[in-house]
């Protein structure tokens, strides 16, 4: 093997003028809630550093995920992407399932910011690193980390230096709009060097690339443009050498004018209508009667206190999150499809209808940890965690003129009789306030058996209470009034890890760990929207239990000078997997438990830096996820593709990412720096959006809606297996100590990938796919000053 490596390096030397081999940079992480070298962490972890983020041009967690083995993002629109690690996925969870909990925990430094359905889409500017902790992290990070944990680690205020960073970007999309950003950071010592202030601000404009067709043959171009703005302010005081106090405020707002949905069928726009123009929707096209929007205002405040004593460290983290989210969708096709079923005239079917989903979140969390800081063979940590979450989810469906048609067709006074106190001309309304309280006690103990072998054991006791109240009204609603559902859960999650240094360059690690995801209750079906068969099949689902996962893992971490290789094998038994299914024609979704499933596979990350001028990186994962139980409905038919041997949804079996960078020392414009060329390619294998998408015939849709000359018996046949795709990026730049200038092309081949499948009312109203950004040309200028 050593001869082959030597021959490979010799060939590289002939191709490029390489200097001496470079040592791989050591990366410090805090995945075990202690700072340690990434190689010393006894489980599989990836850390994308600030340099990695800048060089890859990543602006979101979705961009970053393509370079991390085993990390997959399902794009459901701005601020609504769902994260999975190692194939642990329940399938697509959309905006009207607020009771479903996340499977991957998300943290900003020490503060938990996870929120099911709405993964925070934080800007990556001025981050020290992004850590991906693979496998269940229930011991230290609690519920919602059943698949893994993602941690955004920011750069902290530094009292020993004054510096800043300014970044400007301009870009344009093929057949789309222009965009760009301005971002800045400044770090200033205060209080005579006993403290520091770090201020970060940013604003990004996103170019749209989806065109919306409309009534009368209109076309509105680039309807999914948007912007993101934010500020982070951290102030660190160190009144004594042993005490550090850091209050911080983070505020971010996201606005989008539409969604990245390309439709293939719409009740109003399809090839089958005769009294309306027949329309075949094309790539990056959708049909709208109303413009859509997404808004997310996020405020995070936290206070971190670190106190070092003679033999132990104490840390307290108090955080408060306040988020207001609006998802405003054109639901005209949804409401119109129900109107066809009810026998409304065409004028009633064509009423514009706006579904407005709002989420108001207020979350207070407190964690206190005490850990040893001695140099002996025994290290320990214990902590307590408490959180109180108030989440108010509401839906309104304002449809001006709807009550008049309701009373005309169904009888005078019908609309008023079903309103249940909600406003007129809104056929669906619901209020769902949640009160969620969690308490936990956790700890870990590590013992160095000898100079090579370390053993870690840990566990977490948790107690959880959730109270949900539901009130609904309108023609489409069940008409609940203050119905209260309670969910309680408690338990213990253990973890055992072993780390063995085979030699100075290679470390073997293994672990058995458990994670959990809390259960909940489903919302009532919308009975007036359901066919009788769908009411029978899905009407019996109410509560679902906690999901638990036991992970078995073995891996190596190695560093041979210019080479670094991390690899792991894993297998996870999943009990009571919470699977989400579209409830057919009911325009709602249900979650239920699948008794047994599993996820297993391998992941590998390789870095090579044979010289200071040349660098290669490779990340790869192979994951097999399957149900080990078959679930049937009342008739004995397999329910929603949940059959023994069928694959879990949303996650590709194969992911690959490779990048290369070559730099040349150069003096340009009187500045000494490096001219560099880099390229990367990310490959994602095929996926499905929901388990039911793998059932034979799942892609055959018949609306059953006679409208505008269409009989409703026409067939739309789709392949619901989302094809594999590859994204190829390249850039050239000039990098100095004071500034960087980069020219780049992303998605060079202009790949139009189907990222997830979108169906409205089981596909009767609308069918489409969410897609990625087209080819982008751009330039970035980065100025560093002190």
């Amino acid at each position: 093997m050593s001869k082959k490596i030597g021959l490979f390096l010799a060939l590289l030397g002939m191709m490029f003028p390489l200097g001496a081999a470079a040592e791989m940079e050591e990366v410090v992480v805090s995945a075990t809630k202690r700072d340690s070298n990434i190689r010393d962490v006894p489980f599989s972890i990836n850390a994308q550093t600030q340099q990695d983020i800048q060089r890859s041009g990543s602006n979101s967690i979705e961009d970053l995920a393509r370079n991390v083995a085993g990390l997959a993002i399902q794009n459901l629109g701005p601020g609504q992407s769902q994260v999975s690690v190692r194939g642990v996925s329940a399938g697509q969870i959309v905006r009207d399932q607020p009771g479903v909990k996340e499977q991957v925990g998300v943290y900003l430094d020490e503060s938990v910011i996870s929120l099911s359905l709405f993964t925070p889409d934080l800007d990556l500017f001025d981050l020290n690193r992004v850590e991906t902790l693979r496998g269940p992290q229930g011991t230290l990070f609690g519920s919602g980390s059943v698949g893994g944990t993602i941690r955004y680690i920011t750069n902290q205020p530094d009292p020993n230096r004054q510096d800043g960073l300014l970044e400007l970007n301009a870009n344009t999309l093929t057949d789309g709009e222009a965009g760009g950003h301005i971002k800045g950071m400044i770090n200033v010592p205060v209080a005579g060097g006993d403290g520091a202030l770090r201020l970060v601000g940013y604003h990004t404009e996103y170019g749209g690339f989806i065109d919306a067709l409309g009534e009368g043959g209109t076309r509105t171009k680039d309807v999914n443009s948007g912007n993101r703005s934010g500020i982070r302010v951290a102030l660190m005081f160190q009144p004594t050498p042993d005490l550090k106090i850091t209050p911080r405020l983070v505020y971010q707002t996201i606005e989008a004018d539409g969604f990245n949905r390309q439709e293939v069928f719409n009740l109003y726009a399809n090839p089958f209508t005769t009294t309306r123009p027949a329309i075949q929707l094309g790539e990056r096209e959708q049909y709208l009667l109303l413009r859509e929007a997404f808004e997310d205002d996020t405020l995070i405040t936290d206070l971190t206190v670190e106190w070092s004593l003679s033999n132990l460290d104490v840390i307290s983290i108090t955080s408060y999150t306040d988020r207001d989210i609006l998802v405003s969708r054109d639901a005209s096709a949804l409401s119109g499809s129900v109107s066809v079923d009810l026998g409304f005239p065409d004028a009633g079917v064509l009423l514009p209808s706006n579904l407005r989903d709002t989420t108001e979140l207020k979350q207070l969390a407190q964690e206190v940890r005490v850990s040893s800081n001695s140099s002996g063979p025994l290290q320990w940590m214990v902590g307590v965690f408490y959180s109180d979450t108030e989440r108010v989810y509401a839906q309104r469906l304002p449809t001006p003129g709807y009550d008049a048609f309701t009373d005309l067709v169904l009888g005078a006074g019908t609309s008023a009789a079903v309103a249940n106190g909600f406003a007129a001309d809104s056929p669906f309304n619901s209020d769902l306030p949640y009160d969620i309280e969690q308490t936990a006690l956790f700890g870990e103990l590590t013992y160095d058996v000898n100079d090579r072998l370390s053993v870690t054991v840990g566990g977490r006791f948790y107690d959880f209470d959730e109270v949900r109240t539901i009130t609904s009204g309108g023609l489409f609603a069940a008409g609940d009034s203050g119905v209260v559902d309670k969910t309680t859960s408690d338990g213990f999650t253990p973890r055992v890890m072993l780390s063995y240094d085979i030699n100075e360059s290679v470390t073997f690690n293994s672990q058995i760990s458990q994670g959990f995801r809390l259960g909940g209750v489903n919302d009532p079906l919308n009975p007036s929207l359901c066919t009788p068969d769908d009411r029978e099949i899905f009407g019996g689902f109410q509560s679902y239990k906690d999901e638990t996962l036991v992970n078995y893992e073995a891996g190596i971490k190695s560093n041979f000078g210019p080479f670094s290789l991390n690899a792991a094998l894993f297998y996870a038994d999943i009990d009571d997997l919470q699977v989400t299914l579209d409830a057919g024609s009911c325009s709602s979704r249900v979650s239920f438990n699948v008794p047994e499933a599993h996820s297993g596979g391998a992941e590998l990350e390789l870095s090579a830096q044979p010289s200071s001028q040349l660098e290669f990186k490779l990340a790869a994962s192979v994951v097999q996820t399957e149900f080990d139980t078959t679930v049937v409905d009342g008739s004995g038919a397999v329910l929603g593709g949940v059959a023994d041997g069928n694959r879990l949804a949303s996650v590709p079996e194969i992911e690959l990412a490779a990048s290369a960078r070559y730099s040349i020392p150069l003096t340009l414009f009187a500045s000494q720096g490096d001219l560099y060329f880099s390229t990367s390619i990310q490959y994602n294998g095929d996926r499905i959006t929901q388990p039911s998408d793998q059932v034979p015939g799942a892609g055959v849709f018949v609306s059953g809606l006679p409208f505008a000359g269409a009989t409703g018996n026409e067939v739309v046949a789709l392949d619901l297996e989302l094809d594999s795709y590859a994204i190829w990026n390249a850039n050239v730049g000039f990098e100095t100590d004071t500034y960087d200038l980069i020219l780049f092309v992303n998605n060079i081949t202009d790949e139009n990938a189907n990222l997830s499948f979108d169906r409205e009312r089981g596909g009767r109203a609308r069918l489409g796919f969410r897609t990625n950004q087209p080819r982008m040309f751009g330039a970035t200028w980065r100025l560093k000053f002190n």
Side-chain angles (χ1 to χ4, degrees):
M1 178 64 70
S2 60
K3 290 182 178 179
K4 292 181 179 179
I5 293 175
L7 178 60
F8 174 68
L9 293 178
L11 290 173
L12 288 177
M14 296 172 64
M15 296 168 58
F16 303 102
L18 304 181
E23 290 289 327
M24 297 301 295
E25 180 185 1
E26 298 289 348
V27 178
V28 175
V29 296
S30 51
T32 58
K33 300 202 173 183
R34 297 172 180 268
D35 287 342
S36 57
N37 188 296
I38 192 170
R39 183 184 155 195
D40 297 329
V41 176
F43 58 86
S44 182
I45 175 178
N46 175 280
Q48 295 287 299
T49 66
Q50 182 178 35
Q51 185 180 71
D52 294 328
I53 294 169
Q54 291 177 345
R55 288 183 173 180
S56 67
S58 298
N59 289 303
S60 68
I61 187 64
E62 184 179 1
D63 294 336
L64 208 61
R66 298 191 183 106
N67 300 306
V68 180
L71 176 61
I73 305 293
Q74 186 182 32
N75 186 310
L76 301 179
Q80 301 172 77
S81 297
Q82 290 165 18
V83 185
S84 62
V85 178
R86 288 181 168 175
V88 180
S89 171
Q92 184 188 66
I93 303 170
V94 292
R95 81 260 150 221
D96 54 1
Q97 290 179 278
V100 176
K101 315 305 186 295
E102 60 275 1
Q103 288 180 304
V104 174
V106 181
Y107 283 71
L108 179 63
D109 294 312
E110 297 283 356
S111 297
V112 57
I113 57 173
S114 307
L115 180 63
S116 62
L117 312 187
F118 299 105
T119 300
D121 190 11
L122 296 179
D123 195 281
L124 305 182
F125 183 71
D126 196 44
L127 293 188
N128 182 273
R129 63 191 182 275
V130 177
E131 299 177 359
T132 301
L133 286 55
R134 303 185 183 96
Q137 305 294 324
T139 301
L140 295 183
F141 295 97
S143 174
S145 291
V146 65
T149 298
I150 292 176
R151 306 181 68 224
Y152 295 87
I153 307 298
T154 61
N155 288 315
Q156 296 299 301
D158 187 346
N160 298 314
R161 58 186 302 171
Q162 177 174 316
D163 61 351
L165 179 65
L166 176 65
E167 182 175 293
L168 303 176
N169 170 275
N171 60 72
T172 185
L173 298 173
T174 298
D175 297 326
E177 291 183 313
H181 67 243
I182 178 170
K183 304 178 182 182
M185 177 277 295
I186 186 168
N187 182 93
V188 182
V190 297
D194 292 331
L197 171 70
R198 195 176 193 94
L199 174 64
V200 176
Y202 50 87
H203 177 77
T204 300
E205 290 287 338
Y206 299 103
F209 53 89
I210 298 291
D211 292 350
L213 282 62
E215 293 293 278
T218 61
R219 173 185 289 268
T220 305
K221 293 185 63 65
D222 308 322
V223 296
N224 65 321
S225 59
N227 61 77
R228 175 172 62 186
S229 301
I231 186 171
R232 293 200 305 265
V233 184
L235 182 62
M236 187 275 288
F237 291 104
Q238 198 162 4
T240 71
D242 300 325
L243 180 63
K244 184 187 296 184
I245 303 170
T246 309
R248 179 176 61 178
L249 180 146
V250 179
Y251 177 75
Q252 178 175 278
T253 179
I254 299 175
E255 296 179 349
D257 300 325
F259 302 105
N260 56 327
R261 182 182 67 248
Q262 54 183 2
E263 297 175 1
V264 294
F265 171 86
N266 189 298
L267 175 67
Y268 306 130
N270 58 75
F272 313 120
T273 56
T274 58
T275 61
R276 292 171 52 84
I279 297 174
Q280 179 62 66
L281 294 162
E283 287 190 353
R284 297 175 180 144
E285 289 183 347
Q286 56 186 225
Y287 198 89
L288 297 178
L289 297 190
L290 295 171
R291 289 296 299 268
E292 300 183 310
F294 174 82
E295 299 174 5
D296 182 359
D297 292 325
T298 300
L299 173 67
I300 302 169
T301 59
D302 51 28
L303 175 66
T304 302
V305 179
E306 302 168 83
W307 189 21
S308 296
L309 302 176
S310 57
N311 292 313
L312 54 86
D313 294 328
V314 180
I315 183 169
S316 169
I317 307 100
T318 307
S319 65
Y320 177 75
T321 302
D322 190 334
R323 288 184 75 182
D324 291 305
I325 302 169
L326 167 67
V327 183
S328 177
R329 297 190 302 118
D330 179 10
S332 306
L334 165 62
S335 299
S337 71
V338 180
S339 301
V340 174
D341 283 337
L342 295 175
F344 281 23
D346 285 2
V349 176
L350 285 165
L351 290 175
S353 187
N354 178 206
L355 182 58
R356 300 177 66 83
D357 299 336
T358 58
T359 296
E360 297 178 5
L361 174 81
K362 292 178 172 55
Q363 177 173 281
L364 175 66
Q366 174 66 55
E367 180 169 306
V368 177
R369 301 195 304 267
V370 181
S371 59
S372 61
N373 64 10
S374 62
S375 59
L378 180 64
Q379 300 294 325
W380 55 267
M381 177 181 62
V382 294
V384 294
F385 174 83
Y386 171 80
S387 70
D388 184 20
T389 303
E390 295 180 1
R391 179 175 183 174
V392 179
Y393 175 76
Q395 285 188 311
R396 299 292 187 270
L397 189 63
T399 311
Y402 204 84
D403 285 358
F405 284 101
T406 300
D407 293 346
L408 174 67
V409 175
L410 302 180
T414 300
S415 58
V418 298
N420 201 21
F422 289 97
D425 286 325
S426 183
F428 183 81
N429 310 272
S430 68
D431 289 328
L432 288 86
Y434 288 78
D435 191 353
I436 305 171
E437 192 171 8
Q438 296 187 60
T439 307
L441 173 65
F442 61 90
E444 275 195 351
L445 180 151
T446 299
Y447 181 69
D448 295 333
V449 178
N450 53 45
D451 291 342
R452 293 190 175 188
L453 177 63
S454 297
V455 178
T456 300
V457 295
R460 186 183 191 97
F461 295 93
Y462 65 91
D463 183 81
F464 164 83
D465 293 285
E466 177 184 84
V467 179
R468 187 203 67 178
T469 305
I470 181 169
T471 300
S472 64
L475 183 64
F476 301 168
D480 304 283
S481 295
V483 177
V484 177
D485 290 289
K486 296 182 179 179
T487 303
T488 61
S489 179
D490 58 72
F492 174 73
T493 58
R495 176 158 79 169
V496 179
M497 297 183 290
L498 180 148
S499 178
Y500 181 74
D501 292 334
I502 298 174
N503 53 43
E504 292 183 356
S505 300
V506 182
T507 298
F508 169 82
N509 54 265
S510 64
Q511 71 164 323
I512 302 175
S513 56
Q514 185 174 4
F516 66 102
R517 180 165 67 136
L518 299 167
V521 292
N522 285 306
D523 299 336
L525 297 179
N526 306 322
S528 62
L529 278 62
C530 301
T531 63
D533 286 345
D534 287 338
R535 277 199 300 269
E536 177 69 25
I537 293 172
F538 300 104
F541 294 102
Q542 179 58 18
S543 62
Y544 46 94
K545 299 181 292 185
D546 289 3
E547 172 183 305
T548 59
L549 181 150
V550 179
N551 174 62
Y552 306 89
E553 176 183 321
I556 61 167
K557 299 181 180 182
S558 60
N559 194 334
F560 297 95
F563 295 93
S564 172
L565 172 66
N566 298 329
L569 299 173
F570 60 89
Y571 183 87
D573 277 321
I574 311 171
D575 291 334
D576 294 316
L577 174 69
Q578 296 170 17
V579 171
T580 295
L581 291 181
D582 188 275
S585 61
C586 304
S587 189
S588 55
R589 278 138 289 273
V590 295
S591 292
F592 63 95
N593 295 107
V594 178
E596 294 181 355
H598 75 265
S599 170
E603 59 210 13
L604 175 148
E605 290 175 335
L606 170 68
S607 296
Q609 195 169 356
S611 81
S612 58
Q613 295 171 247
L614 184 63
E615 179 181 352
F616 299 100
K617 289 187 177 182
L618 173 68
S621 65
V622 179
V623 181
Q624 182 200 56
T625 58
E626 291 183 354
F627 297 111
D628 298 323
T629 303
T630 299
V631 178
V632 298
D633 60 25
S635 68
V638 174
L639 181 62
V642 181
D644 186 3
N646 278 0
R647 67 188 293 190
L648 273 59
S650 305
V651 179
E653 293 182 347
I654 298 176
E655 290 182 284
L656 295 170
S659 64
R661 186 177 191 270
Y662 180 67
S663 60
I664 304 170
L666 183 70
T667 300
L668 184 66
F669 303 125
S671 297
Q672 181 65 41
D674 289 326
L675 176 67
Y676 67 87
F677 306 88
S678 68
T679 186
S680 67
I681 187 166
Q682 297 100 19
Y683 171 84
N684 283 262
D686 59 72
R687 302 144 335 279
I688 52 175
T689 305
Q690 291 188 359
S692 58
D693 293 347
Q694 63 194 306
V695 176
V700 177
F701 293 90
V702 179
S703 74
L705 300 172
F707 172 69
T711 66
N713 297 318
E714 297 87 359
V715 174
V716 177
L718 302 175
D719 183 0
L720 299 189
E721 181 179 85
L722 307 173
D723 291 337
S724 60
Y725 66 93
I727 303 296
W728 180 25
N729 302 332
N731 60 56
V732 57
F734 184 63
E735 187 176 65
T736 75
D737 291 337
T738 56
Y739 71 88
D740 302 339
L741 179 62
I742 306 110
L743 303 177
F744 64 88
V745 184
N746 292 340
N747 191 7
I748 293 173
T749 60
D750 198 23
E751 180 81 27
N752 182 27
N754 289 330
L755 305 179
S756 62
F757 181 56
D758 176 83
R759 71 204 93 196
E760 190 75 83
R761 203 184 170 206
R764 301 184 71 200
R766 187 183 69 207
L767 299 166
F769 296 90
R770 296 174 184 87
T771 188
N772 63 311
Q773 200 172 64
R775 182 190 299 112
M776 173 188 285
F777 296 91
T780 299
W781 179 62
R782 195 176 293 125
L783 176 65
K784 296 163 273 190
F785 55 92
N786 50 39

